[in-house]
Amino acid sequence: TRLRARLGPDSCDAGSNSARWRQRYAGHPAAFSHRMETVLPLIDFVSREVERSGLPGEFTFIPLVESWYQPAAMGPGGPAGMWQMISTTAQNHGIHIRDGYDGRLSPVESTRAALSYLRVLQDMFGDWQAIVMAYNAGEGRMQNAMRRAGSRVTSAADRRPHGLSNITYDYVDKLQALSCLVSQPHRFGLHLPVDARYEPLVPLLMDPGMETLEAFARVHGKDVQQLRQLNPGFRGGRVVAGVPRLVLSTPG
């Protein structure tokens, strides 16, 4: 309900390309609902961070498009984490990457860095479609495409500005499709897990001197397997020096 309130009202009116992606995502309603339920705690965490950042609710679906909210996802060519950030972009926005730690695989650090990057793109481009096109293609390609077009008009449905990859236009279409499915699931025979129960996830600061996730779990009564799944940035569960000591966990 909170997420729906932050989505644009016209996502279901997008063009045929968005409709194609709605059909792809909702083609197996039970499977879609199950996959959404398994990542609800992460969606909840990211949606709160997006809201706190003052960014459009549609951006909550970027990790769904990128990785289906898999913190340890590794993409071809080097992108990593839920947000599938390349190392240069990640480090430019404050993510720590060093032996034993990759902040792109930290839901906390990667989400805050990705939203920082999206705010930079918002200042550059304004329109949310242009922002996510630039997030996918790179701000340089987006600026060059607008320069060649002699216009800043952006429309994924009309493939504007021209000259970008179809993958980039489809990126917007996918976000619109997911926004539509979450906003009006009944139109597509979907039964979303609105009554699913789960513990919310929050960033917790590890105690000084703790060198492993196992130690944190033991002291604070946490499930170590869940901690490792949620925080794969700590390679092998080890906490190396000089990196953020934030873990995503259930409260307490």
Side-chain angles (χ1 to χ4, degrees):
T1 301
R2 188 180 71 249
L3 179 55
R4 284 171 177 161
R6 293 186 58 80
L7 298 175
D10 57 351
S11 59
C12 289
D13 299 327
S16 59
N17 290 301
S18 181
R20 176 170 60 90
W21 285 106
R22 290 199 299 268
Q23 187 175 8
R24 289 276 295 274
Y25 284 123
H28 300 282
F32 181 82
S33 179
H34 174 72
R35 294 187 76 181
M36 290 288 284
E37 184 170 355
T38 60
V39 296
L40 268 181
L42 285 167
I43 293 177
D44 175 62
F45 166 70
V46 170
S47 70
R48 291 179 186 275
E49 293 287 307
V50 169
E51 184 172 351
R52 191 168 61 87
S53 297
L55 291 166
E58 286 82 359
F59 292 0
T60 303
F61 298 120
I62 290 177
L64 271 181
V65 171
E66 292 284 2
S67 68
W68 267 98
Y69 269 97
Q70 301 305 305
M74 302 297 292
M82 295 195 317
W83 296 86
Q84 288 290 280
M85 299 184 79
I86 61 173
S87 59
T88 50
T89 301
Q91 290 173 311
N92 285 343
H93 290 274
I95 285 184
H96 297 72
I97 301 174
R98 62 186 61 189
D99 287 344
Y101 181 81
D102 189 337
R104 295 176 298 169
L105 307 182
S106 161
V108 179
E109 194 175 4
S110 67
T111 295
R112 291 177 176 175
L115 297 182
S116 170
Y117 182 35
L118 287 165
R119 285 195 299 271
V120 170
L121 295 176
Q122 185 179 54
D123 291 340
M124 293 174 67
F125 297 105
D127 177 75
W128 82 263
Q129 289 199 26
I131 294 168
V132 295
M133 285 186 192
Y135 183 85
N136 177 258
E139 64 263 33
R141 285 195 183 94
M142 190 65 181
Q143 288 172 323
N144 289 338
M146 286 179 164
R147 193 176 300 115
R148 289 192 301 270
S151 169
R152 295 181 64 85
V153 174
T154 303
S155 169
D158 298 329
R159 290 342 200 199
R160 298 179 68 183
H162 302 306
L164 298 172
S165 165
N166 282 333
I167 293 172
T168 297
Y169 302 123
D170 283 347
Y171 203 88
V172 175
D173 295 329
K174 290 175 183 179
L175 293 178
Q176 289 178 317
L178 288 164
S179 299
C180 175
L181 294 176
V182 169
S183 296
Q184 302 183 44
H186 56 279
R187 285 182 54 178
F188 308 96
L190 291 177
H191 299 280
L192 297 182
V194 292
D195 297 320
R197 291 183 174 273
Y198 59 89
E199 287 191 272
L201 298 173
V202 296
L204 298 179
L205 184 63
M206 283 191 286
D207 313 62
M210 282 189 175
E211 297 181 351
T212 65
L213 295 180
E214 284 82 356
F216 180 82
R218 186 168 57 251
V219 170
H220 295 281
K222 302 297 182 185
D223 181 332
V224 66
Q225 187 63 27
Q226 183 190 49
L227 270 182
R228 292 184 70 147
Q229 289 176 347
L230 286 172
N231 301 277
F234 297 99
R235 302 290 198 184
R238 294 182 300 107
V239 182
V240 300
V243 303
R245 300 177 61 83
L246 286 171
V247 292
L248 194 64
S249 174
T250 51

